[in-house]
Amino acid sequence: MKRLFLFITIVFLGFTSFAEGFAIGGDVFGQLPIGDYSKIANANFGLSVTGEYTFPLSLPLNMDLGAGIRAEYGHVFPKADANLKSDEEIRAFANIWLRIPFKLFNQNFAFQPEAGGGISTFFTKYQNKGTEKNAAYLSPLINIAASLRWMPAALQNLEIELAPGLT
């Protein structure tokens, strides 16, 4: 039976660069596990790199349609008494999104729902009955997210994004 895990994500550093419909970005993030996963892990640390392309369409209300690719690396820090000794994950996926811009309190925002899929690879080291074992898992990945982006007027080419997602 699959379990559902909830993470609180803290983004430490992010960057984005734009050029003629293309954008690249990346971030360093930390996650604090809540729920079933918190019994075996203290935290999670990761890096990601993203590339996005906005299609040159004339959509109503200044909306944009785009596609992106993303690569992520994550490392779990297990608790000392857990059977899990190390866990690393590498993800690669593509997505499609629709950007819906709006203004609020004279600030520029955009609601950006997205959906995508790809592949996830786990490398796990665990201890079972005194014996340490290694395993690798390959899994399909489906991701949906509803991000909210803020574009500060004073800082061009910068977006701050809150992107809760279900993977």
Side-chain angles (χ1 to χ4, degrees), residues 34-144:
I34 296 175
D36 290 341
Y37 204 67
S38 65
K39 296 174 186 172
I40 60 172
N42 288 323
N44 179 327
F45 172 78
L47 304 167
S48 71
V49 176
T50 304
E52 291 183 347
Y53 177 71
T54 303
F55 298 113
L57 303 173
S58 295
L59 298 177
L61 304 172
N62 293 323
M63 293 189 298
D64 290 320
L65 181 66
I69 57 172
R70 185 175 182 99
E72 297 178 342
Y73 168 80
H75 181 84
V76 172
F77 295 96
K79 292 188 174 183
D81 59 346
N83 287 339
L84 180 70
K85 298 304 171 196
S86 73
D87 190 27
E88 295 176 313
E89 181 180 8
I90 299 172
R91 294 180 177 183
F93 59 95
N95 62 2
I96 191 162
W97 48 264
L98 177 68
R99 181 188 299 247
I100 305 165
F102 63 95
K103 283 193 175 255
L104 186 63
F105 303 114
N106 208 21
Q107 294 289 317
N108 294 319
F109 290 91
F111 174 64
Q112 186 171 312
E114 59 186 60
I119 195 160
S120 179
T121 307
F122 295 90
F123 301 97
T124 302
K125 187 182 289 186
Y126 62 96
Q127 189 167 346
N128 187 11
K129 298 179 183 175
T131 305
E132 200 167 277
K133 297 181 180 183
N134 295 312
Y137 303 97
L138 190 61
S139 174
L141 173 72
I142 297 172
N143 184 54
I144 56 174

